[in-house]
Amino acid sequence: MKHVLDHIHGSALPATATGTVASYIPALAKADPSLLGIAVVTADGEVFSTGAAETRFTMQSISKVLALAYVTDRMRRRGCLLPGRAGAKRRSLQFHDPPGNQRCHKPFNPFINAGAIVVSGLMPGSTPEDKGARFRAFVGQLIGRDDVARDEEVYISEKATAARNRSIAWFLKELGILPGEVEETLDVYFRQCAVSVDALDLARIGAILCTDGMDPTRGVRLLAARTTRVIKSLMVTCGLYDGSGEFAVDVGIPAKSGVGGGIMASVRDRMGIGVYGPALDQHGNSSAGLEALRRLSEELDLRVL
Ligand code: GLU
């Protein structure tokens, strides 16, 4: 496997030159566009990586998957089901698309900012700091680290420039959809997006999803099986913004990207995959990361669709 990853790294690396790093959050523009990291954690807990697999970056939209898992598991324990509240339609795929369904008063999709901000508003805790810390502890539980940190510079940078997300949140408030106070809920959202991980961490999370919620290395259940099913279905239909359809055809596995350059993917019963490449294509997905996943899917026959 290590040999396969090294080979794929070499052949996907030129695709870094076809993308550009995100700059609408100014701190993200500092990333090195020439990087590519690939990591795999198998269903039986073996770990393989190559390239910049241990370079830290912010989760950005990949945090939407974990926030949904976190809140869904918690609400199920209290007898509610989240997608009923945050919506689960593959309706609009640009990450910043506005709001939702005014008639039924819910946003369409928890992987699009409007839905994700509602999910952030449902996180447990007393203050944004507390909610952010609890969310990081949850992420730490999944990836087996107790030092999961927030990238302070990216967090402050997004918070200072998020006019569009602010307008989405105020619109949601006006529709009566957004729980909590607008700035506080946005603060929770910015904190979750700025959680710092590497490609290995993403592969570990993908491996948990691939075994329907079990931790392959420790053999304990970390997520309810139904939660993982909801999440993986959303990943298939809308994990890569407007690139989701093409990705389903080309690669054929559940995946979620973020504008920090990460993509987290999961192949049922086989492996979790994490890739990092901050140069993004026109849809906001890592260009070299996509190329690596295409080649990996082909080489290892990973397609499940
Ligand atoms: N924090 C980013 C935003 O809301 C996340 C976007 C993304 O990764 O797609 O704009």
Side-chain angles (χ1 to χ4, degrees):
M1 175 70 88
K2 170 69 177 150
H3 178 72
V4 171
L5 292 190
D6 287 342
H7 176 70
I8 284 172
H9 182 266
S11 36
L13 202 57
T16 56
T18 64
T20 41
V21 295
S23 57
Y24 76 101
I25 298 174
L28 292 182
K30 293 185 179 173
D32 176 355
S34 69
L35 293 180
L36 173 63
I38 311 171
V40 162
V41 174
T42 64
D44 46 19
E46 281 191 284
V47 179
F48 304 92
S49 67
T50 187
E54 291 180 54
T55 300
R56 294 269 163 95
F57 55 91
T58 52
M59 294 186 110
Q60 299 301 333
S61 273
I62 299 168
S63 73
K64 292 168 181 166
V65 177
L66 300 178
L68 181 65
Y70 180 42
V71 171
T72 304
D73 261 12
R74 184 172 170 273
M75 290 185 87
R76 178 171 302 108
R77 275 185 256 125
R78 295 157 83 217
C80 330
L81 206 56
L82 188 78
R85 179 131 185 204
K89 270 192 191 149
R90 185 193 181 284
R91 171 66 185 260
S92 64
L93 291 185
Q94 297 289 336
F95 67 83
H96 49 44
D97 274 346
N101 187 335
Q102 299 199 25
R103 260 180 307 138
C104 66
H105 279 215
K106 64 182 185 188
F108 288 119
N109 185 328
F111 285 4
I112 301 302
N113 287 14
I117 293 168
V118 171
V119 173
S120 303
L122 296 169
M123 283 211 195
S126 50
T127 59
E129 292 79 5
D130 181 38
K131 292 177 186 186
R134 289 194 199 199
F135 177 69
R136 288 202 312 280
F138 169 74
V139 174
Q141 234 180 7
L142 297 183
I143 63 187
R145 295 203 270 118
D146 56 13
D147 62 345
V148 175
R150 178 178 64 243
D151 182 321
E152 205 57 20
E153 190 186 353
V154 173
Y155 160 64
I156 289 170
S157 182
E158 177 163 25
K159 194 170 167 162
T161 53
R164 191 187 294 250
N165 280 334
R166 281 203 171 78
S167 42
I168 290 171
W170 278 107
F171 194 9
L172 291 166
K173 190 73 188 168
E174 197 272 331
L175 294 173
I177 298 170
L178 193 73
E181 200 273 319
V182 173
E183 268 309 318
E184 285 194 5
T185 296
L186 282 167
D187 196 14
V188 177
Y189 174 73
F190 303 142
R191 283 168 190 272
Q192 79 180 53
C193 287
V195 168
S196 183
V197 289
D198 62 23
L200 273 163
D201 295 329
L202 296 185
R204 287 200 173 90
I205 298 166
I208 294 165
L209 296 179
C210 98
T211 51
D212 287 346
M214 298 298 289
D215 179 334
T217 44
R218 290 169 286 176
V220 289
R221 175 161 295 286
L222 294 173
L223 294 171
R226 182 172 159 85
T227 301
T228 65
R229 231 173 291 142
V230 169
I231 284 164
K232 285 186 281 185
S233 305
L234 279 164
M235 285 163 71
V236 167
T237 51
C238 48
L240 285 101
Y241 317 112
D242 281 335
S244 302
E246 207 178 315
F247 186 83
V249 174
D250 287 353
V251 186
I253 58 179
K256 180 76 194 88
S257 64
V259 292
I263 304 177
M264 187 255 294
S266 182
V267 188
R268 190 179 178 81
D269 293 333
R270 290 188 61 186
M271 66 184 73
I273 308 166
V275 294
Y276 170 58
L280 309 179
D281 70 6
Q282 77 275 21
H283 299 307
N285 300 315
S286 169
S287 46
L290 285 180
E291 186 57 26
L293 286 168
R294 261 185 223 114
R295 287 172 184 264
L296 205 56
S297 176
E298 189 74 30
E299 184 78 23
L300 302 177
D301 193 18
L302 299 180
R303 161 175 304 286
V304 292
L305 297 175

